[in-house]
Amino acid sequence: MTESEFLQLSDDIFDRIEQSIDQHGLDADTLRQGNVLEIEFDSGDKVIVNRHAANQEMWIAAKSGGYHFSRRGEDWIASRDGAEFYATLAEAIRAGSGEAFDFAD
């Protein structure tokens, strides 16, 4: 994948995250700055989603830890444990918000 394709794909991921949070009506603020999307909850907890263009990876930083995801087919899979990106992010959002949350297709 070219760098511009990766950047477009990761922009689409950021858009999906922001839209899903809005659709669920979560008490969370999102701030996108360059390669980083910060999600801050009323509790003060944060989840950071970062795109790393050099490695073409998506990263998540949350209380539960840091995760690196590479594209495998149509999915983003964690290098450490094989977890899927959206499932890991949904769990981090549930933990931060204390509310039910998932990414519906």
Side-chain angles (χ1 to χ4, degrees):
M1 153 176 20
T2 67
E3 183 174 348
S4 62
E5 290 171 331
F6 172 76
L7 293 175
Q8 181 59 58
L9 186 59
S10 58
D11 277 341
D12 293 345
I13 290 170
F14 286 166
D15 289 342
R16 181 176 181 196
I17 295 166
E18 290 174 317
Q19 290 169 2
S20 292
I21 288 171
D22 287 344
Q23 288 171 349
H24 279 81
L26 294 182
D27 287 329
D29 294 318
T30 59
L31 175 63
R32 190 187 313 196
Q33 291 183 312
N35 293 329
V36 176
L37 174 65
E38 182 177 296
I39 307 164
E40 184 172 2
F41 304 98
D42 284 349
S43 65
D45 288 351
K46 291 183 182 180
V47 174
I48 309 296
V49 181
N50 182 17
R51 65 178 167 206
H52 192 263
N55 293 344
Q56 293 191 347
E57 292 181 339
M58 297 298 295
W59 295 355
I60 297 173
K63 270 188 169 179
S64 58
Y67 308 89
H68 297 186
F69 298 85
S70 299
R71 181 109 181 201
R72 292 194 198 151
E74 295 298 312
D75 297 319
W76 291 90
I77 304 299
S79 56
R80 182 176 13 175
D81 62 4
E84 194 272 331
F85 175 83
Y86 287 109
T88 302
L89 182 56
E91 179 59 34
I93 290 171
R94 285 190 295 272
S97 68
E99 299 180 40
F101 181 85
D102 63 4
F103 288 95
D105 291 327

